[in-house]
Amino acid sequence: MAISDIHLCELEPTAGLWMRYRQAPYSPDGEIAAMLDALRGEIRKGTGGSGGLHTQRDELTLVLNGDIFDLDAPRVIDNESVVHDLPRTAEHAVPAMEAILRDHPVFVAAVGRVVADGHTVVFVAGNHDIQLTLPEVRDAVRRRIADAALHALAARDGAPAASAARELRAALEARVVFRAWFHRTRDGVIVEHGNQYDSYCSYRYPMAPFGRRRGEIQPTMGSLVSRLLVSRMGYFNPHVDSSFMLSGFGYLSHWARYYLFSGRSLVLAFAVGALRTMLELVRRRDPCRRALRRADLAAAARETGATFPAVVKHARLFARPAEDCLGRVARELWLDRLGLVLVGLIATLACLWWMPEGLAPATLLAPTLLVAYECAVPKPTLDAVWQGVNRAARLVARAHRAKAVVFGHTHNPEGSWEGGVFFGNTGSWSAAFEDIACTTPVFEARPLVWLRSEDGAAPDAPLSGGLLMWKDERFQPWRADARPSVPRKAEVAKRPRPALRPQATAAMRS
């Protein structure tokens, strides 16, 4: 069973509208815990067992498919959220991860109960928790989950004897597994977050996503925008596109309502964040090195058990990192249009200096250049990015001869059987609300992918199942009409909002 994109982060300590989606009452922890407990019950009903580490029973693999944690979100220091651009190293990532786990004990306890029942939990790294590739971060998560599992076992069966405690902890920790890039099951299921097919969030070396600085994770456009821009605009919800995809009048109204008397600057936050994002991508650019790439692919084959030729075919599908597509970055951040306007104004002033009588034509130069540029260089739509991710899933299946491929990342749940192969997307469990006050949830139901091997975990085991939803405290077949009740903002698109649209722009991948 797989879910993804929960985006657990340190909880916002205040109670106002600023970053309300990060406050404790709006966290999805309780919802996830209820679902996981129901899942454990379904497994017990299927085998008639009461659970236990060594009980013969159906084997469950719970895959937490990326962006479970959001380490790009602000840190909480001295009871205050502090935006940061700290190096993404183990030195900073471990304290951040430990703080997130402390803030979400309900989630940790629920995962621990899954492990205590004798099941396996797999964490697949996503673009917002890429730090799960670091051994020190993996150890921190593994310890906390094992502690929760031991607590669950002690509550159920009593504390183990001191002589058996160490062996029991080792057995529990062995059931907490990590994958840097993708997870491959013995019965032919590939589970991957999917950010590698999105230029704004892809890495050259997903197994060891470092740049020139040893031990420091290379920045992507998505991570930089999250830390330098989105985190500084707390009256937007990064999990909901309609909260920040506004018309010109919409932005003006938003600024007047929330920023005018707040002492915070919306324009300055965007301008500084956009410029710093571009400068960091240019400064930290690290061209591909063949030796590192080959070593990365070999490491993926070892970690997942996939064949090296299949991994090579898989990696050829990656989108080029944004640092190789700086023109596209500038367009996404509006820096290209700002530059064009400045060039037009300079040209206008020059024309007026040399030809004062040409005032009227000169004033039309800048807007004419801008309109011509917009027509000549169309901006890629967000739907085009998601369609590229979906196409990649079909090619991944072909590379591995897989019986199922499951992605996340897009926040758009999907599930279909095509020629005997299942293609799914685990959608999102994030704190997504239609309004800043967090009174109207975007999701009527929460998506999950549940696949079963009817004849055991063998290469020829047939699969069944697919995309389900958690609603009204029970598992239900996914319905196409399980969608938000609030239509997409009219200024964004003049069509009804389809089921659980992607909840972030290409620049604000969350």
Side-chain angles (χ1 to χ4, degrees), residues 440-501:
T440 309
V442 168
F443 303 107
E444 290 183 353
R446 294 292 194 173
L448 57 110
V449 170
W450 192 347
L451 298 171
R452 298 174 181 266
S453 293
E454 302 299 342
D455 297 328
D460 57 348
L463 291 180
S464 63
L467 181 67
L468 301 179
M469 63 182 181
W470 173 253
K471 185 179 180 182
D472 300 328
E473 299 295 314
R474 60 191 179 92
F475 299 104
Q476 304 179 41
W478 181 259
R479 297 196 325 268
D481 62 347
R483 66 184 66 191
S485 58
V486 180
R488 191 177 176 87
K489 300 293 185 181
E491 61 266 29
V492 176
K494 296 180 179 179
R495 64 180 187 274
R497 183 173 187 163
L500 304 182
R501 293 282 300 168

Side-chain angles (χ1 to χ4, degrees), residues 24 27-37 104 106-107 110 113 429 470 473:
S27 171
D29 295 46
E31 197 175 7
I32 296 167
M35 183 273 293
L36 292 179
D37 287 342
H104 298 277
V106 174
F107 169 80
R113 289 192 291 272
W429 286 65
W470 173 253
E473 299 295 314

